Amino acid sequence: MTRLWDKGTPLDARVLRYTAGEDHALDNRLVAYDVRASIAHAEMLHEGGLLSRAELDAIRDGLTGIAQAHARGEWSVTLELEDGQTALETLLTQRIGAAGARLHAGRSRNDQVLVALRLYLRDAIEALADDARGVAEALDGLAVAQGSIVLPGYTHMQQAMPSSVGLWAGGFAAEIRDDVVALRHAHRRILKNPLGSAAGYGTPNLPVSRDDTRRRLEFPENHEPVTAVQLSRGKAEAELLFQIVLLMQDLGRLAADLLLFYTREFGFVDLPEAFTTGSSIMPQKRNPDVFELVRGRSAAAQACLLEVLGITAKLPSGYQRDLQLIKAPLFRSIDSCHESLDIMAAAIPQIRFRPDRIRMDPDIHAAAEANELVAKEGIPFREAYRRIGAKYRGA
């Protein structure tokens, strides 16, 4: 087949496999967004006199039909098609003829893929935020149902002060809600229209209106100047991945507590059997694999962030093919976070704390006793601290 950049010379099949890599498969999640941006671009070209009404209608109808067929699973971006941008233009031209080839005027694959990616990330952030709120709400429900159960609060892995299921769950819920706010901060770099920057240096000699596509695609502003667009590649992605890392670390610490509480030595909780697995050799065991994997996936999220930062570090200005490699760790981290949030939101309401197994150390109220001395006797805290410490040391 003919690719968008073909110059008529044969291409070694190994080059296509190596340069396309997994990009063609990854682009399947961007098809609907690419179609939306392509229709906005076509409408702008029509307003500028570069497409007739008949051509615009044919392009809009053709792209809509192609997107609907993709959503039904009737076609996908394959290695032969190289990437989503080539696939759409090829299929469109096959469907409507020469008008399909006129769509690419005033844009490059560089700004085409970037606008689709930014439209996708707008939705991905909101979906992650919704999922995270679901986990926070599940923790709220746990606090309402079992919040009065006392728990020891730990510092340095030692019982330190009294706590409760309500305080424990509420702390995690608060931090996860804070993660939601931080996730949405990543919109700052995403909500800039890259269309019209083309390969990074604009579209000379064509009446391209960046404001037209900006309005149609609901971007608050254009990404200016055009030379900044390719320099920005990887920044919004890394910012989102950093926030995902923090969210996944909160989930990992929540999972780590539950794993500790589930040990026979602690026995503070019963985990739902539907969310534990069995041992292949020990018939008595139920394994908390789900929570172990949530704990482990925070490390995988960090690796995705470092991969993106490593790809973009020290690149010269302008577009470089290395940037294509950002998609894989970006999508992998988003998917892993979705899955982790989903399974934690489902598991948390089924966790049961066991007050009969929870034991508090006799000296766990020592800090409260010291404070009480300060309040009743008016002595300095350090004196109260010394007296209570001596009491529990048996002096």
Side-chain angles (χ1 to χ4, degrees):
M1 66 156 288
T2 301
R3 281 161 285 278
L4 299 183
W5 48 265
D6 270 343
K7 306 295 191 293
T9 54
L11 182 71
D12 190 308
R14 289 169 293 189
V15 173
L16 177 59
R17 285 196 300 272
Y18 189 75
T19 56
E22 58 183 326
D23 206 44
H24 62 284
L26 297 172
D27 274 356
N28 279 299
R29 79 172 64 197
L30 298 179
V31 166
Y33 299 98
D34 203 334
V35 164
R36 181 184 170 195
S38 293
I39 289 173
H41 181 72
E43 291 169 342
M44 180 273 296
L45 292 178
H46 170 66
E47 291 296 325
L50 295 174
L51 288 176
S52 69
R53 167 55 66 180
E55 288 170 329
L56 171 60
D57 290 344
I59 288 170
R60 186 191 288 119
D61 292 346
L63 286 172
T64 300
I66 289 168
Q68 290 170 344
H70 183 269
R72 292 193 296 267
E74 295 172 9
W75 71 275
S76 63
V77 184
T78 62
L79 178 60
E80 182 187 24
L81 292 167
E82 188 181 23
D83 55 37
Q85 298 76 56
T86 301
L88 284 178
E89 185 166 328
T90 299
L91 294 172
L92 181 63
T93 303
Q94 290 172 356
R95 183 177 286 223
I96 70 171
R102 295 174 63 83
L103 176 61
H104 204 62
R107 71 176 181 179
S108 162
R109 283 192 301 173
N110 297 336
D111 61 344
Q112 183 180 354
V113 69
L114 186 53
V115 71
L117 187 60
R118 287 183 179 178
L119 292 173
Y120 160 75
L121 288 175
R122 279 168 23 180
D123 285 350
I125 287 171
E126 293 308 314
L128 287 171
D130 285 344
D131 287 351
R133 280 190 289 267
V135 174
E137 289 166 3
L139 287 163
D140 290 343
L142 185 67
V144 168
Q146 304 178 63
S148 62
I149 297 173
V150 297
L151 279 177
Y154 290 88
T155 66
H156 305 280
M157 298 298 292
Q158 306 296 308
Q159 289 196 14
M161 295 179 71
S163 183
S164 66
V165 171
L167 280 171
W168 175 83
F172 279 109
E175 284 305 296
I176 289 169
R177 286 193 170 93
D178 187 63
D179 293 333
V180 169
V181 174
L183 276 173
R184 301 193 81 250
H185 285 170
H187 280 306
R188 184 177 67 87
R189 284 192 165 99
I190 292 165
L191 294 177
K192 294 181 179 181
N193 177 32
L195 273 180
S197 63
Y201 302 95
T203 54
N205 306 321
L206 286 177
V208 168
S209 171
R210 300 192 68 198
D211 278 333
D212 189 294
T213 53
R214 178 187 63 76
R215 286 191 297 269
R216 293 179 191 278
L217 296 173
E218 300 177 305
F219 283 104
E221 60 183 308
N222 288 319
H223 202 146
E224 298 281 9
V226 290
T227 48
V229 174
Q230 295 306 320
L231 287 171
S232 78
R233 296 290 297 272
K235 286 185 176 179
E237 296 90 335
E239 189 167 358
L240 173 56
L241 290 176
F242 175 69
Q243 300 304 340
I244 287 175
V245 167
L246 297 184
L247 173 56
M248 288 298 297
Q249 286 185 340
D250 282 335
L251 293 183
R253 295 183 74 178
L254 171 60
D257 272 6
L258 290 170
L259 288 165
L260 187 66
F261 294 167
Y262 187 60
T263 60
R264 186 70 61 89
E265 290 76 12
F266 273 71
F268 287 2
V269 296
D270 284 333
L271 298 179
E273 287 205 359
F275 288 85
T276 59
T277 64
S279 166
S280 63
I281 189 172
M282 293 167 282
Q284 84 282 12
K285 285 185 79 255
R286 299 295 300 180
N287 298 325
D289 294 353
V290 164
F291 303 92
E292 290 169 340
L293 289 172
V294 169
R295 182 179 60 186
R297 284 192 180 194
S298 65
Q302 290 181 47
C304 290
L305 171 61
L306 291 175
E307 190 173 346
V308 168
L309 291 173
I311 289 167
T312 56
K314 296 183 175 63
L315 286 180
S317 63
Y319 176 77
Q320 317 293 327
R321 190 68 182 261
D322 316 43
L323 295 170
Q324 170 185 305
L325 301 176
I326 290 174
K327 285 182 196 170
L330 174 66
F331 293 169
R332 186 165 64 248
S333 185
I334 289 171
D335 291 347
S336 178
C337 190
H338 271 305
E339 292 167 1
S340 301
L341 290 166
D342 179 66
I343 203 161
M344 289 297 276
I348 287 168
Q350 300 183 55
I351 293 167
R352 296 290 176 266
F353 279 83
R354 299 186 56 184
D356 59 305
R357 292 294 307 271
I358 298 170
R359 295 287 183 267
M360 310 280 271
D361 287 348
D363 58 0
I364 200 166
H365 297 284
E369 291 179 38
N371 289 337
E372 187 176 13
L373 279 180
V374 169
K376 284 186 174 180
E377 300 185 16
I379 62 175
F381 177 77
R382 283 298 154 213
E383 172 62 19
Y385 178 96
R386 186 193 62 76
R387 287 191 200 175
I388 298 301
K391 168 186 170 182
Y392 283 108
R393 285 194 304 272

